[in-house]
């Protein structure tokens, strides 16, 4: 016999549903010095797309290849899809699952003991939990926050990838310039060895001068080999970022390149701290993780309250298979159930304690993300203020060392000074020329670091909700 019941209890539960135990979310105060706002540029600092900031055509080609083929970025995109699916699963838990149910049984009848048959076919909802205290809704909010955090993580990965490719490109330009410098230095020292040998044979120079010239030449040859190895390592590192080998046309165009050939990057204002909080995707990611941890507390609190489930079926039933769809066999049944936790050995309390600790961890991670961001911006601004002066001073030092080498060579040829003075001038000029290349590299990479620290190229604002 099919039980008939009014759905008033279900309607009342649905009206009362929507209770939530999620704590009110409040964004933690940014743990950064108040003086930063006074030192930061007050003008608005809109995010500059990477295509506008990195104008060098070859570099743009490499960045596009990396965005299309980099495996870490591909994993970040797949993580978004996984988080989206998890959110959709949590959202589906709010709704009843309807299925087609068919049952057949044969059992002794009560009293007579005769075997009787029972057949039923219909639509069934099995153990649908009515979210009276918001447990499932809290889990859905936690899954949504995790999805948004994952999307921000992909944005952060993209910003890091663009910056890494730019730095890798600049490394190759510096390698090519250092290789050219080493080749020219080696050729010059080989000529010096030949000249010293001729002077030795003519009795003008000593064997000590000849051996010193040979030593300095071999040192230049060793430096060239070291820089060739570094050039190969830097290309391999860039190829890993690209997800493919360096294109042949780009590799060929690198020969003879210099850092001075790289187009200047646009100056970036630091902006206000409030702008930085909304621009950096890693900070937005940390905040979404905090929102998710906050929602998880609501789910843990709701576990202390009863769980109301509903099983219902609507269809036809009969004692004979042939009578399933006859008149009078149709009906429905509703079977609500309630489970009130009484003793669970402290499981629910432990889950709540874990959720509250998780929120504390998320707050600390959010604050650490802010502190890290402001440190990176401050470091990049400090480099911007001093690297230009350092590069100018070292270039003047190169000019002075070049003039010193000319004077030392002239004095040696006229017998006024020893060959050791000439060798010292050659070593000093070579080292200073290398230092100029390194400080130029640091200056350009500092601009890339500032772009990354300001969240360059990342979408503005929070990510959209999944459909």
């Amino acid at each position: 016999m099919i039980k008939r019941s009014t759905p008033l209890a279900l309607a009342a539960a649905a009206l009362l549903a929507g209770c939530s135990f999620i704590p009110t979310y409040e964004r933690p105060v940014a743990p950064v010095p108040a003086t930063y706002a006074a030192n930061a540029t007050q003008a608005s600092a809109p995010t500059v797309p990477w295509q506008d900031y990195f104008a060098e055509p070859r570099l743009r080609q490499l960045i596009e290849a990396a965005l299309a083929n980099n495996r870490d970025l591909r994993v970040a995109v797949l993580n978004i899809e996984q988080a989206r699916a998890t959110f959709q699963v949590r959202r589906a838990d709010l709704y009843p699952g309807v299925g087609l149910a068919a049952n057949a049984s044969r059992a002794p009848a009560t009293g007579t003991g005769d075997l009787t048959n029972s057949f039923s076919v219909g639509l069934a909802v099995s153990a649908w939990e009515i979210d009276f205290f918001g447990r499932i809704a809290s889990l859905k909010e936690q899954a949504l926050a995790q999805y948004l955090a994952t999307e921000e993580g992909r944005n952060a990965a993209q910003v890091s990838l663009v910056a890494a490719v730019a730095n890798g490109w600049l490394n190759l330009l510096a390698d090519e310039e250092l290789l050219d410098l080493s080749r020219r230095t080696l050729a010059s020292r080989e000529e010096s060895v030949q000249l010293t040998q001729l002077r030795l044979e003519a009795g003008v120079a000593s064997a000590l001068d000849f051996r010193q010239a040979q030593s300095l030449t071999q040192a230049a040859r060793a430096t060239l080999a070291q820089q060739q190895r570094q050039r190969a390592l830097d290309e391999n590192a860039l190829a890993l970022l690209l997800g493919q080998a360096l294109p042949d046309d780009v590799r060929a165009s690198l020969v003879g390149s210099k850092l001075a050939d790289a187009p200047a990057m646009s100056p970036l204002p630091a902006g206000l701290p409030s702008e930085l909080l909304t621009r950096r995707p890693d900070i937005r990611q940390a905040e979404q993780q905090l929102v998710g941890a906050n929602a998880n507390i609501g789910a843990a609190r709701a576990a202390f309250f009863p769980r109301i489930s509903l099983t219902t079926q609507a269809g036809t039933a009969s004692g004979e298979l042939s009578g399933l769809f006859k008149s009078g066999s149709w009906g429905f049944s509703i079977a609500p159930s309630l489970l009130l936790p009484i003793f669970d050995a402290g499981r629910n309390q432990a889950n709540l304690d874990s959720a509250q600790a998780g929120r504390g961890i998320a707050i600390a991670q959010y604050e650490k993300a802010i502190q890290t961001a402001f440190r990176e911006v401050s470091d990049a601004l400090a480099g911007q203020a001093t690297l230009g002066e350092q590069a100018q001073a070292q270039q003047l030092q190169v000019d002075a060392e070049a003039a010193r080498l000319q004077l030392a060579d002239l004095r040696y040829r006229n017998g006024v000074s020893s060959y050791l003075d000439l060798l010292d001038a050659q070593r000093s000029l070579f080292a200073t020329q290398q230092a100029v290349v390194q400080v130029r590299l640091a200056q350009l990479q500092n601009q890339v670091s500032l772009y990354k620290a300001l969240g360059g190229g990342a979408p503005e604002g929070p990510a959209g909700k999944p459909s």
Side-chain angles (χ1 to χ4, degrees):
M1 179 178 179
I2 299 179
K3 297 180 181 179
R4 299 177 183 271
S5 172
T6 177
L8 291 178
L10 175 60
L15 289 174
L16 293 175
C19 177
S20 175
F21 291 100
I22 299 177
T24 302
Y25 174 74
E26 295 182 2
R27 176 183 288 179
V29 178
V32 294
T35 56
Y36 185 92
N39 295 332
T41 303
Q42 297 299 311
S44 177
T47 300
V48 179
W50 67 263
Q51 296 91 336
D52 296 338
Y53 190 70
F54 301 107
E56 213 281 342
R58 294 173 296 177
L59 175 56
R60 293 178 63 176
Q61 177 184 348
L62 296 180
I63 293 177
E64 289 172 355
L67 293 178
N69 301 311
N70 182 266
R71 298 312 189 267
D72 289 334
L73 189 61
R74 188 174 300 176
V75 169
V77 173
L78 293 175
N79 284 337
I80 294 177
E81 297 304 318
Q82 187 179 46
R84 181 197 298 268
T86 301
F87 166 75
Q88 291 172 340
V89 169
R90 290 300 186 187
R91 185 178 60 178
D93 289 341
L94 290 170
Y95 303 96
V98 181
L100 178 63
N103 297 305
S105 65
R106 181 177 177 83
T110 304
T112 65
D114 296 336
L115 295 176
T116 59
N117 298 326
S118 176
F119 302 93
S120 65
V121 175
L123 298 177
V125 176
S126 178
W128 169 44
E129 181 179 346
I130 303 174
D131 197 25
F132 188 79
F133 297 101
R135 187 185 72 87
I136 298 177
S138 297
L139 294 176
K140 187 200 74 167
E141 292 300 319
Q142 190 273 338
L144 174 61
Q146 184 59 43
Y147 163 77
L148 297 177
T150 305
E151 191 163 87
E152 295 296 353
R154 190 211 72 87
N155 295 337
Q158 176 175 316
V159 172
S160 297
L161 178 60
V162 170
V165 172
N167 284 330
W169 168 254
L170 293 173
N171 282 332
L172 287 185
L173 292 181
D175 290 337
E176 289 293 336
E177 189 167 354
L178 289 172
L179 281 172
D180 181 65
L181 174 61
S182 295
R183 292 190 185 101
R184 288 188 285 108
T185 300
L186 178 58
S188 174
R189 291 181 180 178
E190 286 176 341
E191 292 177 1
S192 180
V193 168
Q194 294 175 359
L195 179 60
T196 306
Q197 185 175 11
L198 292 176
R199 292 170 62 87
L200 174 63
E201 294 172 353
V204 180
S206 65
L208 178 61
D209 293 344
F210 177 68
R211 295 304 180 186
Q212 287 175 331
Q214 282 186 321
S215 175
L216 202 60
T217 301
Q218 296 305 320
R221 182 171 285 109
T223 300
L224 177 61
Q226 179 184 2
Q227 290 172 349
Q228 288 173 332
R229 180 174 67 254
Q230 187 61 49
R231 167 66 174 75
L233 295 178
D234 288 339
E235 181 175 339
N236 293 339
L238 183 57
L240 178 61
L241 293 174
L242 301 180
Q244 63 180 38
L246 194 66
D248 293 336
D249 57 334
V250 176
R251 181 185 293 105
S253 67
L254 280 170
V255 178
S257 296
K258 296 183 179 181
L259 287 173
D261 299 335
M265 303 174 199
S266 303
L268 292 173
L272 296 173
S274 59
E275 294 175 347
L276 184 59
L277 295 180
T278 59
R279 188 184 307 136
R280 290 260 305 208
D282 58 335
I283 294 180
R284 299 203 300 259
Q285 178 186 16
E287 184 172 11
Q288 288 299 330
Q289 290 172 339
L290 175 56
V291 172
N294 197 60
N296 202 32
I297 293 179
R301 287 177 174 175
F304 286 90
F305 293 86
R307 292 190 186 182
I308 302 174
S309 300
L310 180 68
T311 298
T312 182
Q313 182 172 343
T316 177
S318 173
E320 299 292 338
L321 186 61
S322 59
L324 275 178
F325 298 99
K326 290 183 178 180
S327 176
S329 65
W330 297 91
F332 67 91
S333 66
I334 297 178
S337 64
L338 181 147
L339 175 63
L340 176 64
I342 297 177
F343 175 75
D344 60 3
R347 179 182 291 107
N348 287 337
Q349 183 61 48
N351 285 333
L352 178 58
D353 293 342
S354 176
Q356 290 174 336
R359 180 176 62 176
I361 293 172
I363 290 175
Q365 291 173 335
Y366 173 70
E367 294 174 341
K368 177 65 179 298
I370 293 176
Q371 291 174 335
T372 300
F374 278 85
R375 179 203 167 174
E376 291 176 354
V377 172
S378 299
D379 288 350
L381 290 176
Q384 192 178 55
T386 58
L387 283 170
E389 296 179 2
Q390 182 180 353
Q392 183 179 7
Q394 288 196 322
Q395 183 59 52
L396 293 176
Q397 185 181 5
V398 166
D399 296 340
E401 289 294 343
R404 175 193 170 196
L405 177 59
Q406 291 179 350
L407 293 175
D409 183 62
L410 182 60
R411 288 170 60 85
Y412 172 69
R413 292 177 184 273
N414 292 324
V416 178
S417 62
S418 66
Y419 189 66
L420 184 60
D421 293 334
L422 177 61
L423 294 180
D424 182 66
Q426 289 177 340
R427 282 194 299 263
S428 182
L429 176 60
F430 184 45
T432 307
Q433 288 173 327
Q434 288 179 310
V436 166
V437 176
Q438 293 295 341
V439 75
R440 285 176 183 168
L441 174 63
Q443 189 176 13
L444 291 173
Q445 289 185 335
N446 182 77
Q447 296 181 33
V448 176
S449 298
L450 181 59
Y451 180 78
K452 176 186 174 184
L454 294 176
E460 289 284 354
K465 292 185 178 181
S467 58

